Amino acid sequence: MNQEPATRIHKNAIKAWTVNALLFGLFWFTPSIIQMALAINHNSGIGTPWYHGMDWLLFGSIFLASLIFYLLTGVLLPNIRWKRWKYDVSEKEIDMLRGIIIKKRTLVPINRVQHVDTKQGPIYRKFGLSSVTISTAATTHEIPALDDDTADELRTTISTLVRKVKDDV
């Protein structure tokens, strides 16, 4: 088997993924905050809820578990994800290695590439990052979080390699 790819994505990916995870995590964390508020306010005279007597234990546990999960996904996982993401581009193929628990390695033959794009969302734009998407007939692959110049250079390099291979055929 070939050696693992060596090129890492930009270090700002950690910051961008942290911001993205913390913003997305608010959607998961907000219900536990609401549940905690309901537990505090449950004596509104509506009746006795099923969880009466264990309000603080139940909702406090849910709140604490949600807070720990929220902080883990927002702070720890982006750093681990960055350490695992590597790629290389050669004249024959694009090699991508990623995955936290399950390592996934993808080899995309250059002669199968149909087109190459760069894209940038608002969080990536804030950190000067772009992603390169590589489309084949079957699917689309993405190399995330490259600085803008590297992404443009990589898009041009892959496009040049594809033209060179298709001219040889």
Side-chain angles (χ1 to χ4, degrees):
M1 187 167 190
N2 296 342
Q3 284 188 329
E4 286 188 358
T7 310
R8 291 196 179 273
I9 57 177
H10 197 274
K11 188 87 173 173
N12 277 350
I14 297 171
K15 295 175 189 172
W17 290 340
T18 298
V19 168
N20 196 31
L22 292 176
L23 288 174
F24 186 72
L26 286 177
F27 291 109
W28 296 101
F29 191 58
T30 301
S32 73
I33 293 172
I34 292 170
Q35 289 173 340
M36 191 70 173
L38 289 174
I40 292 170
N41 246 354
H42 91 281
N43 291 330
S44 60
I46 296 175
T48 305
W50 64 270
Y51 51 82
H52 182 70
M54 56 181 188
D55 305 3
W56 287 100
L57 179 64
L58 177 67
F59 293 115
S61 299
I62 292 171
F63 178 79
L64 186 62
S66 298
L67 181 65
I68 290 169
F69 183 73
Y70 178 67
L71 292 175
L72 281 176
T73 56
V75 178
L76 187 63
L77 287 182
N79 201 6
I80 295 171
R81 185 177 170 201
W82 178 81
K83 288 179 180 174
R84 302 288 173 101
W85 233 112
K86 297 176 187 172
Y87 73 96
D88 274 333
V89 176
S90 68
E91 291 185 6
K92 293 185 177 186
E93 62 200 12
I94 301 163
D95 191 359
M96 296 175 278
L97 176 67
R98 61 201 174 279
I100 293 174
I101 295 171
I102 299 171
K103 280 179 141 181
K104 184 175 182 180
R105 189 168 183 186
T106 306
L107 297 173
V108 180
I110 286 291
N111 63 354
R112 299 288 183 186
V113 175
Q114 292 188 333
H115 67 273
V116 184
D117 298 318
T118 55
K119 71 177 184 180
Q120 185 181 54
I123 294 174
Y124 272 19
R125 191 174 315 125
K126 168 81 175 142
F127 294 101
L129 301 172
S130 295
S131 293
V132 174
T133 56
I134 303 145
S135 298
T136 63
T139 188
T140 301
H141 305 278
E142 182 175 321
I143 300 174
L146 302 171
D147 69 278
D148 293 339
D149 294 336
T150 303
D152 287 340
E153 184 179 313
L154 185 62
R155 184 190 62 214
T156 304
T157 300
I158 292 171
S159 177
T160 303
L161 289 171
V162 169
R163 264 187 264 124
K164 184 178 171 185
V165 167
K166 299 218 174 175
D167 286 344
D168 287 346
V169 176

Short mmCIF file of all heavy atoms in Angstrom, two decimals, residues 92-143:
data_model
loop_
_atom_site.label_atom_id
_atom_site.label_comp_id
_atom_site.label_asym_id
_atom_site.label_seq_id
_atom_site.Cartn_x
_atom_site.Cartn_y
_atom_site.Cartn_z
N LYS A 92 -1.00 11.01 -11.00
CA LYS A 92 -1.91 9.90 -11.25
C LYS A 92 -3.18 9.94 -10.41
O LYS A 92 -4.22 9.46 -10.83
CB LYS A 92 -1.19 8.57 -11.00
CG LYS A 92 -0.10 8.30 -12.00
CD LYS A 92 0.49 6.94 -11.77
CE LYS A 92 1.53 6.69 -12.85
NZ LYS A 92 2.06 5.37 -12.81
N GLU A 93 -3.08 10.50 -9.18
CA GLU A 93 -4.23 10.41 -8.29
C GLU A 93 -4.23 11.49 -7.22
O GLU A 93 -3.22 12.14 -6.96
CB GLU A 93 -4.26 9.04 -7.61
CG GLU A 93 -3.04 8.80 -6.75
CD GLU A 93 -2.78 7.34 -6.47
OE1 GLU A 93 -3.41 6.48 -7.11
OE2 GLU A 93 -1.93 7.07 -5.62
N ILE A 94 -5.40 11.64 -6.61
CA ILE A 94 -5.56 12.51 -5.44
C ILE A 94 -5.81 11.57 -4.26
O ILE A 94 -6.72 10.75 -4.30
CB ILE A 94 -6.75 13.46 -5.63
CG1 ILE A 94 -6.53 14.32 -6.88
CG2 ILE A 94 -6.93 14.33 -4.40
CD1 ILE A 94 -7.78 14.98 -7.38
N ASP A 95 -4.98 11.69 -3.24
CA ASP A 95 -5.01 10.78 -2.09
C ASP A 95 -5.48 11.56 -0.87
O ASP A 95 -4.88 12.57 -0.51
CB ASP A 95 -3.59 10.23 -1.88
CG ASP A 95 -3.53 9.10 -0.89
OD1 ASP A 95 -4.58 8.74 -0.33
OD2 ASP A 95 -2.42 8.58 -0.68
N MET A 96 -6.56 11.11 -0.24
CA MET A 96 -7.11 11.80 0.93
C MET A 96 -7.26 10.81 2.08
O MET A 96 -7.78 9.72 1.89
CB MET A 96 -8.48 12.40 0.59
CG MET A 96 -8.42 13.47 -0.47
SD MET A 96 -10.03 14.06 -0.96
CE MET A 96 -10.49 12.79 -2.12
N LEU A 97 -6.82 11.22 3.27
CA LEU A 97 -6.92 10.39 4.47
C LEU A 97 -7.59 11.20 5.57
O LEU A 97 -7.19 12.34 5.84
CB LEU A 97 -5.52 9.95 4.93
CG LEU A 97 -5.46 9.14 6.22
CD1 LEU A 97 -6.12 7.78 6.03
CD2 LEU A 97 -4.01 8.98 6.67
N ARG A 98 -8.62 10.63 6.17
CA ARG A 98 -9.36 11.35 7.21
C ARG A 98 -10.08 10.35 8.10
O ARG A 98 -10.11 9.17 7.82
CB ARG A 98 -10.37 12.30 6.57
CG ARG A 98 -11.39 11.57 5.73
CD ARG A 98 -12.03 12.50 4.73
NE ARG A 98 -12.90 11.82 3.81
CZ ARG A 98 -12.51 11.15 2.75
NH1 ARG A 98 -11.25 11.04 2.46
NH2 ARG A 98 -13.37 10.57 1.96
N GLY A 99 -10.69 10.87 9.19
CA GLY A 99 -11.49 10.02 10.06
C GLY A 99 -10.97 10.03 11.48
O GLY A 99 -9.77 9.93 11.70
N ILE A 100 -11.85 10.11 12.45
CA ILE A 100 -11.46 10.15 13.85
C ILE A 100 -11.46 8.73 14.42
O ILE A 100 -10.46 8.26 14.93
CB ILE A 100 -12.40 11.07 14.64
CG1 ILE A 100 -12.19 12.51 14.17
CG2 ILE A 100 -12.14 10.95 16.14
CD1 ILE A 100 -13.13 13.50 14.77
N ILE A 101 -12.56 8.04 14.32
CA ILE A 101 -12.63 6.67 14.84
C ILE A 101 -12.33 5.69 13.71
O ILE A 101 -11.54 4.77 13.87
CB ILE A 101 -14.02 6.40 15.45
CG1 ILE A 101 -14.20 7.31 16.66
CG2 ILE A 101 -14.16 4.94 15.84
CD1 ILE A 101 -15.58 7.31 17.24
N ILE A 102 -12.96 5.89 12.59
CA ILE A 102 -12.73 5.05 11.41
C ILE A 102 -11.93 5.86 10.41
O ILE A 102 -12.38 6.92 9.96
CB ILE A 102 -14.06 4.59 10.80
CG1 ILE A 102 -14.83 3.75 11.82
CG2 ILE A 102 -13.83 3.82 9.51
CD1 ILE A 102 -16.23 3.42 11.42
N LYS A 103 -10.74 5.37 10.08
CA LYS A 103 -9.91 6.05 9.08
C LYS A 103 -10.45 5.74 7.69
O LYS A 103 -10.74 4.58 7.38
CB LYS A 103 -8.47 5.55 9.15
CG LYS A 103 -7.66 6.15 10.24
CD LYS A 103 -6.27 5.55 10.19
CE LYS A 103 -5.22 6.56 10.48
NZ LYS A 103 -3.87 5.96 10.40
N LYS A 104 -10.59 6.77 6.89
CA LYS A 104 -11.07 6.59 5.53
C LYS A 104 -10.03 7.16 4.58
O LYS A 104 -9.61 8.31 4.72
CB LYS A 104 -12.40 7.31 5.34
CG LYS A 104 -13.02 7.07 3.99
CD LYS A 104 -14.39 7.70 3.90
CE LYS A 104 -15.00 7.43 2.55
NZ LYS A 104 -16.32 8.02 2.44
N ARG A 105 -9.62 6.36 3.62
CA ARG A 105 -8.63 6.80 2.64
C ARG A 105 -9.25 6.68 1.26
O ARG A 105 -9.76 5.62 0.88
CB ARG A 105 -7.38 5.95 2.72
CG ARG A 105 -6.26 6.49 1.88
CD ARG A 105 -4.97 5.81 2.21
NE ARG A 105 -3.90 6.39 1.43
CZ ARG A 105 -2.70 5.91 1.43
NH1 ARG A 105 -2.39 4.85 2.14
NH2 ARG A 105 -1.77 6.49 0.70
N THR A 106 -9.19 7.76 0.50
CA THR A 106 -9.80 7.80 -0.82
C THR A 106 -8.73 8.14 -1.85
O THR A 106 -7.99 9.11 -1.67
CB THR A 106 -10.92 8.85 -0.86
OG1 THR A 106 -11.84 8.60 0.19
CG2 THR A 106 -11.63 8.83 -2.19
N LEU A 107 -8.66 7.35 -2.90
CA LEU A 107 -7.79 7.64 -4.04
C LEU A 107 -8.67 7.96 -5.22
O LEU A 107 -9.50 7.15 -5.63
CB LEU A 107 -6.91 6.43 -4.36
CG LEU A 107 -5.93 6.00 -3.27
CD1 LEU A 107 -5.25 4.70 -3.66
CD2 LEU A 107 -4.88 7.08 -3.05
N VAL A 108 -8.53 9.15 -5.75
CA VAL A 108 -9.31 9.56 -6.92
C VAL A 108 -8.36 9.63 -8.11
O VAL A 108 -7.45 10.47 -8.12
CB VAL A 108 -9.97 10.95 -6.70
CG1 VAL A 108 -10.77 11.35 -7.92
CG2 VAL A 108 -10.82 10.94 -5.45
N PRO A 109 -8.51 8.73 -9.10
CA PRO A 109 -7.65 8.80 -10.27
C PRO A 109 -7.85 10.12 -11.01
O PRO A 109 -8.99 10.57 -11.19
CB PRO A 109 -8.12 7.62 -11.13
CG PRO A 109 -8.88 6.73 -10.22
CD PRO A 109 -9.45 7.62 -9.16
N ILE A 110 -6.76 10.72 -11.43
CA ILE A 110 -6.84 12.02 -12.12
C ILE A 110 -7.69 11.92 -13.38
O ILE A 110 -8.45 12.84 -13.70
CB ILE A 110 -5.42 12.53 -12.44
CG1 ILE A 110 -4.72 13.02 -11.18
CG2 ILE A 110 -5.45 13.65 -13.48
CD1 ILE A 110 -5.29 14.28 -10.55
N ASN A 111 -7.61 10.78 -14.09
CA ASN A 111 -8.38 10.67 -15.34
C ASN A 111 -9.89 10.55 -15.11
O ASN A 111 -10.67 10.60 -16.05
CB ASN A 111 -7.86 9.52 -16.20
CG ASN A 111 -8.01 8.18 -15.52
OD1 ASN A 111 -8.41 8.10 -14.36
ND2 ASN A 111 -7.67 7.12 -16.23
N ARG A 112 -10.32 10.39 -13.84
CA ARG A 112 -11.76 10.32 -13.52
C ARG A 112 -12.33 11.67 -13.09
O ARG A 112 -13.55 11.80 -12.95
CB ARG A 112 -12.00 9.32 -12.38
CG ARG A 112 -11.58 7.93 -12.69
CD ARG A 112 -12.50 7.31 -13.69
NE ARG A 112 -12.10 5.93 -13.92
CZ ARG A 112 -12.64 5.16 -14.81
NH1 ARG A 112 -13.60 5.62 -15.57
NH2 ARG A 112 -12.23 3.94 -14.96
N VAL A 113 -11.49 12.65 -12.88
CA VAL A 113 -11.97 13.96 -12.42
C VAL A 113 -12.68 14.68 -13.56
O VAL A 113 -12.17 14.77 -14.68
CB VAL A 113 -10.78 14.81 -11.89
CG1 VAL A 113 -11.26 16.22 -11.54
CG2 VAL A 113 -10.15 14.13 -10.69
N GLN A 114 -13.88 15.17 -13.28
CA GLN A 114 -14.65 15.90 -14.30
C GLN A 114 -14.50 17.40 -14.14
O GLN A 114 -14.37 18.10 -15.12
CB GLN A 114 -16.11 15.49 -14.23
CG GLN A 114 -16.33 14.07 -14.67
CD GLN A 114 -17.78 13.72 -14.79
OE1 GLN A 114 -18.63 14.30 -14.12
NE2 GLN A 114 -18.07 12.75 -15.64
N HIS A 115 -14.59 17.90 -12.91
CA HIS A 115 -14.31 19.30 -12.68
C HIS A 115 -13.91 19.55 -11.22
O HIS A 115 -14.16 18.72 -10.35
CB HIS A 115 -15.48 20.20 -13.10
CG HIS A 115 -16.71 20.04 -12.29
ND1 HIS A 115 -17.66 19.11 -12.57
CD2 HIS A 115 -17.13 20.70 -11.19
CE1 HIS A 115 -18.64 19.21 -11.70
NE2 HIS A 115 -18.34 20.17 -10.84
N VAL A 116 -13.28 20.70 -10.99
CA VAL A 116 -12.76 21.05 -9.68
C VAL A 116 -13.28 22.43 -9.32
O VAL A 116 -13.25 23.35 -10.14
CB VAL A 116 -11.22 21.08 -9.67
CG1 VAL A 116 -10.69 21.35 -8.28
CG2 VAL A 116 -10.65 19.80 -10.22
N ASP A 117 -13.78 22.58 -8.10
CA ASP A 117 -14.32 23.86 -7.64
C ASP A 117 -13.65 24.25 -6.33
O ASP A 117 -13.13 23.41 -5.61
CB ASP A 117 -15.83 23.76 -7.36
CG ASP A 117 -16.64 23.41 -8.58
OD1 ASP A 117 -16.34 23.96 -9.65
OD2 ASP A 117 -17.56 22.60 -8.45
N THR A 118 -13.72 25.54 -6.01
CA THR A 118 -13.40 25.99 -4.66
C THR A 118 -14.68 26.60 -4.10
O THR A 118 -15.47 27.17 -4.84
CB THR A 118 -12.27 27.04 -4.64
OG1 THR A 118 -12.62 28.11 -5.49
CG2 THR A 118 -10.95 26.44 -5.05
N LYS A 119 -14.87 26.45 -2.81
CA LYS A 119 -16.03 27.06 -2.17
C LYS A 119 -15.64 27.61 -0.82
O LYS A 119 -14.67 27.14 -0.20
CB LYS A 119 -17.20 26.09 -2.08
CG LYS A 119 -17.03 24.98 -1.10
CD LYS A 119 -18.30 24.13 -1.06
CE LYS A 119 -18.17 23.06 0.01
NZ LYS A 119 -19.35 22.21 0.10
N GLN A 120 -16.43 28.59 -0.35
CA GLN A 120 -16.10 29.28 0.88
C GLN A 120 -17.39 29.77 1.53
O GLN A 120 -18.11 30.56 0.96
CB GLN A 120 -15.19 30.46 0.54
CG GLN A 120 -14.66 31.22 1.70
CD GLN A 120 -13.78 32.37 1.25
OE1 GLN A 120 -14.22 33.19 0.45
NE2 GLN A 120 -12.57 32.42 1.75
N GLY A 121 -17.67 29.30 2.73
CA GLY A 121 -18.82 29.78 3.49
C GLY A 121 -18.42 30.94 4.37
O GLY A 121 -17.26 31.35 4.40
N PRO A 122 -19.37 31.48 5.13
CA PRO A 122 -19.06 32.66 5.95
C PRO A 122 -18.03 32.40 7.04
O PRO A 122 -17.21 33.27 7.34
CB PRO A 122 -20.42 33.05 6.55
CG PRO A 122 -21.32 31.92 6.29
CD PRO A 122 -20.77 31.11 5.19
N ILE A 123 -18.05 31.23 7.65
CA ILE A 123 -17.07 30.95 8.71
C ILE A 123 -15.68 30.74 8.11
O ILE A 123 -14.70 31.26 8.62
CB ILE A 123 -17.52 29.72 9.54
CG1 ILE A 123 -18.81 30.07 10.28
CG2 ILE A 123 -16.43 29.31 10.53
CD1 ILE A 123 -19.46 28.92 11.02
N TYR A 124 -15.61 30.01 7.00
CA TYR A 124 -14.32 29.84 6.32
C TYR A 124 -13.79 31.19 5.85
O TYR A 124 -12.59 31.46 5.92
CB TYR A 124 -14.46 28.90 5.13
CG TYR A 124 -14.28 27.43 5.45
CD1 TYR A 124 -14.38 26.95 6.75
CD2 TYR A 124 -13.99 26.52 4.45
CE1 TYR A 124 -14.21 25.61 7.03
CE2 TYR A 124 -13.81 25.17 4.73
CZ TYR A 124 -13.93 24.73 6.01
OH TYR A 124 -13.75 23.39 6.30
N ARG A 125 -14.67 32.06 5.36
CA ARG A 125 -14.25 33.39 4.87
C ARG A 125 -13.63 34.20 6.01
O ARG A 125 -12.64 34.89 5.82
CB ARG A 125 -15.44 34.13 4.27
CG ARG A 125 -15.07 35.38 3.51
CD ARG A 125 -16.25 36.03 2.80
NE ARG A 125 -17.07 35.05 2.10
CZ ARG A 125 -18.38 34.89 2.28
NH1 ARG A 125 -19.04 35.66 3.12
NH2 ARG A 125 -19.04 33.97 1.62
N LYS A 126 -14.21 34.09 7.20
CA LYS A 126 -13.70 34.80 8.37
C LYS A 126 -12.25 34.41 8.68
O LYS A 126 -11.44 35.22 9.10
CB LYS A 126 -14.60 34.49 9.58
CG LYS A 126 -14.07 34.90 10.90
CD LYS A 126 -14.30 36.35 11.16
CE LYS A 126 -13.84 36.69 12.59
NZ LYS A 126 -13.22 37.96 12.66
N PHE A 127 -11.92 33.12 8.44
CA PHE A 127 -10.58 32.63 8.74
C PHE A 127 -9.69 32.51 7.50
O PHE A 127 -8.59 31.94 7.57
CB PHE A 127 -10.67 31.27 9.45
CG PHE A 127 -11.29 31.37 10.81
CD1 PHE A 127 -12.62 31.01 11.01
CD2 PHE A 127 -10.56 31.85 11.88
CE1 PHE A 127 -13.20 31.11 12.25
CE2 PHE A 127 -11.13 31.95 13.13
CZ PHE A 127 -12.45 31.59 13.33
N GLY A 128 -10.14 33.01 6.35
CA GLY A 128 -9.34 32.99 5.12
C GLY A 128 -9.15 31.59 4.56
O GLY A 128 -8.09 31.28 4.02
N LEU A 129 -10.18 30.76 4.67
CA LEU A 129 -10.09 29.37 4.22
C LEU A 129 -11.05 29.11 3.07
O LEU A 129 -12.07 29.79 2.92
CB LEU A 129 -10.42 28.41 5.36
CG LEU A 129 -9.54 28.49 6.60
CD1 LEU A 129 -10.12 27.62 7.71
CD2 LEU A 129 -8.12 28.09 6.28
N SER A 130 -10.74 28.11 2.27
CA SER A 130 -11.61 27.63 1.20
C SER A 130 -11.52 26.11 1.14
O SER A 130 -10.55 25.53 1.62
CB SER A 130 -11.18 28.19 -0.16
OG SER A 130 -11.34 29.58 -0.20
N SER A 131 -12.52 25.50 0.54
CA SER A 131 -12.49 24.06 0.30
C SER A 131 -12.38 23.81 -1.20
O SER A 131 -12.89 24.59 -2.00
CB SER A 131 -13.78 23.40 0.80
OG SER A 131 -13.85 23.48 2.19
N VAL A 132 -11.73 22.72 -1.54
CA VAL A 132 -11.64 22.31 -2.94
C VAL A 132 -12.53 21.09 -3.10
O VAL A 132 -12.38 20.11 -2.36
CB VAL A 132 -10.18 21.97 -3.32
CG1 VAL A 132 -10.10 21.39 -4.72
CG2 VAL A 132 -9.30 23.20 -3.19
N THR A 133 -13.48 21.15 -4.04
CA THR A 133 -14.33 20.00 -4.30
C THR A 133 -13.93 19.40 -5.65
O THR A 133 -13.73 20.12 -6.62
CB THR A 133 -15.82 20.36 -4.32
OG1 THR A 133 -16.04 21.38 -5.27
CG2 THR A 133 -16.28 20.83 -2.96
N ILE A 134 -13.82 18.08 -5.65
CA ILE A 134 -13.37 17.34 -6.82
C ILE A 134 -14.52 16.43 -7.24
O ILE A 134 -14.92 15.55 -6.49
CB ILE A 134 -12.12 16.50 -6.48
CG1 ILE A 134 -11.02 17.43 -5.96
CG2 ILE A 134 -11.66 15.71 -7.68
CD1 ILE A 134 -10.17 16.80 -4.91
N SER A 135 -15.06 16.67 -8.43
CA SER A 135 -16.21 15.89 -8.90
C SER A 135 -15.79 14.85 -9.91
O SER A 135 -15.01 15.12 -10.82
CB SER A 135 -17.24 16.82 -9.54
OG SER A 135 -17.72 17.73 -8.59
N THR A 136 -16.31 13.63 -9.70
CA THR A 136 -16.17 12.56 -10.68
C THR A 136 -17.57 12.21 -11.16
O THR A 136 -18.54 12.81 -10.72
CB THR A 136 -15.50 11.31 -10.05
OG1 THR A 136 -16.36 10.82 -9.02
CG2 THR A 136 -14.14 11.65 -9.47
N ALA A 137 -17.68 11.21 -12.04
CA ALA A 137 -19.01 10.83 -12.52
C ALA A 137 -19.86 10.26 -11.40
O ALA A 137 -21.08 10.42 -11.39
CB ALA A 137 -18.88 9.81 -13.64
N ALA A 138 -19.24 9.62 -10.42
CA ALA A 138 -19.99 8.95 -9.37
C ALA A 138 -20.29 9.84 -8.16
O ALA A 138 -21.35 9.74 -7.57
CB ALA A 138 -19.23 7.72 -8.90
N THR A 139 -19.36 10.69 -7.77
CA THR A 139 -19.52 11.43 -6.52
C THR A 139 -18.64 12.68 -6.49
O THR A 139 -17.93 12.97 -7.44
CB THR A 139 -19.20 10.52 -5.31
OG1 THR A 139 -19.55 11.19 -4.12
CG2 THR A 139 -17.74 10.15 -5.29
N THR A 140 -18.71 13.38 -5.39
CA THR A 140 -17.89 14.57 -5.18
C THR A 140 -17.06 14.38 -3.91
O THR A 140 -17.57 13.92 -2.89
CB THR A 140 -18.79 15.81 -5.03
OG1 THR A 140 -19.57 15.96 -6.21
CG2 THR A 140 -17.96 17.06 -4.83
N HIS A 141 -15.80 14.73 -3.98
CA HIS A 141 -14.89 14.66 -2.84
C HIS A 141 -14.50 16.08 -2.46
O HIS A 141 -14.48 16.96 -3.30
CB HIS A 141 -13.65 13.84 -3.19
CG HIS A 141 -13.97 12.48 -3.71
ND1 HIS A 141 -14.25 11.44 -2.88
CD2 HIS A 141 -14.09 12.01 -4.97
CE1 HIS A 141 -14.50 10.37 -3.60
NE2 HIS A 141 -14.41 10.70 -4.89
N GLU A 142 -14.16 16.25 -1.19
CA GLU A 142 -13.82 17.60 -0.72
C GLU A 142 -12.55 17.57 0.11
O GLU A 142 -12.39 16.72 0.98
CB GLU A 142 -14.97 18.17 0.11
CG GLU A 142 -14.70 19.58 0.59
CD GLU A 142 -15.89 20.18 1.31
OE1 GLU A 142 -17.03 19.94 0.87
OE2 GLU A 142 -15.68 20.87 2.31
N ILE A 143 -11.66 18.51 -0.17
CA ILE A 143 -10.50 18.75 0.68
C ILE A 143 -10.83 20.06 1.40
O ILE A 143 -10.85 21.12 0.80
CB ILE A 143 -9.20 18.88 -0.13
CG1 ILE A 143 -8.94 17.59 -0.91
CG2 ILE A 143 -8.03 19.19 0.80
CD1 ILE A 143 -7.76 17.67 -1.86
#
